[in-house]
Amino acid sequence: MTFKGLRALAAAGVLLAGFAPTAHAAGQVNTTFAIYMRGLHVLDADASYQIEPWGYGGTTHIRPAGLISWFVTMDIHSRVEGDFVPGGNVKPIRYDSGGLSRGQHRRVLLTYNGNTPHVDILEPAETDRDPIPDSDLPHTIDTLSGMARLLETLTQTKSCEGSGVIFDGLRLTKMTVHGPVTSDIPQSHKQAYSGPALRCDFVGQQIAGFVKGSPNRSKMAAPQPGSAWFKEIDGVGLVPVRIEFNHPKLGHVTVVMQQPLPPSKSTAVLSQ
């Protein structure tokens, strides 16, 4: 079993589930999620986040769960911060993800000069990938800022229609999102919520940063579908409670909120 490539996807899914998109939110919220791959509970993740009218920020801590922890060593911390700008867009400031993965300490640090990311740290260097031209980087955003943008758009316009290009320090991925539609939350994996919710469907497709000469290039370049379910929670607003997506090597990945948000904490922290 390999977790190569799951780090950024898992962090994105967890932080997406952690962001509660309300323009009047204040304070910090902490919660926990479970990540399943091909039906197995493989990772647990803690998310701490904060949304303000002017911007967003959050952290995740991802680690192996259950029997997988006997065989896989992973301890990844990720942090994102950025601003909201008119029109429901985002202006990332910093994306930092690092820790122990695949037997090494790894780190990616992106900072932004205007609308263009700069790779400040990439450890270890992955020279076996096709280089991404500098001309392709303007107007790209990091993985977690892409999730924040989706939530802000859904909150402000009640629509999740849109597209953008994600840069994670190694790859470019085009994301296209459609919806929402009203749909019951699938019931599996001991998740916190059930019943009707708003579902946004998305497709991710890697377009650059492929491993040179890889026999899996066509598989990695194929469109990968996914969905996110948003539940209206009293005192909180719309909260993503379940995310599912396909990974070309790892198969079907599901992220679920493990426990309901405490009503007292939700109301105290997120209501004004």
Side-chain angles (χ1 to χ4, degrees):
M1 179 179 294
T2 174
F3 283 84
K4 185 175 182 180
L6 183 58
R7 179 177 67 179
L9 291 170
V14 169
L15 201 60
L16 170 60
F19 276 127
T22 169
H24 303 291
Q28 182 171 296
V29 172
N30 304 307
T31 188
T32 303
F33 302 90
I35 301 170
Y36 293 79
M37 187 177 72
R38 296 176 180 173
L40 296 177
H41 184 186
V42 295
L43 300 172
D44 280 330
D46 302 318
S48 177
Y49 65 90
Q50 186 167 348
I51 296 285
E52 300 286 354
W54 44 264
Y56 58 93
T59 63
T60 62
H61 176 207
I62 300 174
R63 60 202 185 279
L67 293 177
I68 297 298
S69 62
W70 295 4
F71 311 102
V72 174
T73 301
M74 175 184 283
D75 191 67
I76 301 295
H77 292 263
S78 299
R79 178 183 298 272
V80 66
E81 57 182 300
D83 297 330
F84 291 122
V85 296
N89 214 331
V90 294
K91 183 181 178 182
I93 297 173
R94 179 185 177 96
Y95 169 80
D96 192 353
S97 180
L100 185 62
S101 176
R102 289 183 283 144
Q104 295 189 60
H105 286 278
R106 303 176 183 274
R107 188 181 178 194
V108 176
L109 172 62
L110 305 179
T111 58
Y112 291 77
N113 180 14
N115 60 17
T116 302
H118 181 266
V119 182
D120 291 347
I121 298 174
L122 179 59
E123 296 175 345
E126 297 197 19
T127 57
D128 61 339
R129 292 182 180 273
D130 292 330
I132 298 175
D134 291 342
S135 59
D136 289 350
L137 295 181
H139 303 290
T140 63
I141 58 178
D142 65 85
T143 310
L144 304 183
S145 292
M147 300 302 114
R149 177 183 174 184
L150 169 61
L151 293 174
E152 180 72 359
T153 300
L154 180 60
T155 301
Q156 298 300 329
T157 68
K158 305 306 179 185
S159 170
C160 44
E161 297 285 336
S163 63
V165 178
I166 303 297
F167 176 58
D168 66 0
L170 294 170
R171 296 162 284 258
L172 290 180
T173 302
K174 182 178 180 181
M175 298 292 298
T176 305
V177 189
H178 297 291
V181 297
T182 301
S183 172
D184 284 342
I185 304 168
Q187 292 302 289
S188 62
H189 307 318
K190 299 178 181 180
Q191 62 190 24
Y193 294 102
S194 62
L198 296 179
R199 191 190 76 219
C200 293
D201 299 320
F202 55 88
V203 175
Q205 184 173 16
Q206 184 176 343
I207 57 176
F210 296 98
V211 174
K212 298 175 182 177
S214 171
N216 297 312
R217 183 181 180 115
S218 60
K219 181 186 293 186
M220 299 304 295
Q224 303 296 328
S227 299
W229 285 261
F230 297 82
K231 184 76 171 178
E232 184 75 30
I233 307 299
D234 291 343
V236 181
L238 283 173
V239 175
V241 295
R242 183 184 178 101
I243 301 97
E244 298 185 17
F245 56 90
N246 286 345
H247 185 276
K249 287 186 176 180
L250 303 177
H252 195 73
V253 179
T254 303
V255 180
V256 298
M257 186 180 292
Q258 290 187 305
Q259 296 180 345
L261 293 174
S264 58
K265 175 184 289 188
S266 301
T267 302
V269 172
L270 295 178
S271 298
Q272 286 188 349

